[in-house]
Amino acid sequence: IVSTLMVASVVSAVGGCVGPGPDEVALDRFYRAERYFSAGDFQAAAPLYESVILVRDRIMDAQRHLAVCYMEMDQIPDAVRVLRKVLQFVDTSDRTSKRLLAKCLIHLGKREEAVELYKELVRDKPSDQEELLRELAGLMEEKVRDMAICP
């Protein structure tokens, strides 16, 4: 009697396919997550992005979109964790992740750290200074309004 596991091992060893591999499963989940994300269903998209990242942790869109899901679900510390990971291990110069991280940090009251990120963005691309200053001022003003409304 031949076990299923033995058959699967033999088929795999000779180049046959027992089922989709981890990359195919991750890709399928990524596309499903993207559909949920585009529809604004962040609750459904987040666990799919998480499962993709377990297999392929260098997919920038999965990382960034997971962070946005966390932001939209008001799980800011989780978004910060993901964005810091992106900037540390995936792409230290990713401007979008830096801007998202700064927004999260402002939300958490870590304004000095957010300002440092904006300074870094300006140093990297001085031509964006005006836009970045307006964006930062808007985020700060929004946080002040939130604090005044919700003590």
Side-chain angles (χ1 to χ4, degrees), residues 68-138:
V68 171
C69 288
Y70 286 148
M71 291 168 73
E72 292 293 330
M73 296 185 304
D74 203 29
Q75 296 176 9
I76 306 303
D78 290 326
V80 168
R81 178 184 46 79
V82 169
L83 292 165
R84 286 191 194 282
K85 182 179 168 190
V86 167
L87 291 169
Q88 183 177 6
F89 298 112
V90 182
D91 185 355
T92 59
S93 64
D94 181 48
R95 296 176 66 75
T96 301
S97 293
K98 285 181 183 180
R99 288 168 100 157
L100 290 171
L101 178 57
K103 183 175 183 175
C104 290
L105 292 170
I106 289 169
H107 183 81
L108 294 173
K110 299 180 178 184
R111 288 181 282 286
E112 295 81 16
E113 194 176 346
V115 168
E116 287 305 314
L117 280 169
Y118 272 92
K119 286 180 180 178
E120 205 176 295
L121 288 165
V122 170
R123 275 192 305 272
D124 292 345
K125 193 171 178 191
S127 62
D128 285 354
Q129 181 174 351
E130 290 294 318
E131 175 190 346
L132 291 167
L133 286 173
R134 276 193 305 275
E135 182 177 296
L136 179 59

Side-chain angles (χ1 to χ4, degrees), residues 23-73:
D23 286 341
E24 291 86 9
V25 171
L27 191 59
D28 177 62
R29 288 182 181 163
F30 176 75
Y31 289 132
R32 285 184 18 226
E34 289 288 282
R35 286 192 296 273
Y36 285 125
F37 185 87
S38 294
D41 190 348
F42 304 108
Q43 197 81 31
L48 291 168
Y49 285 128
E50 289 167 348
S51 68
V52 169
I53 292 166
L54 286 174
V55 176
R56 285 281 179 226
D57 65 346
R58 304 265 182 208
I59 299 176
M60 185 71 76
D61 284 342
Q63 298 273 3
R64 263 201 240 114
H65 288 178
L66 176 60
V68 171
C69 288
Y70 286 148
M71 291 168 73
E72 292 293 330
M73 296 185 304

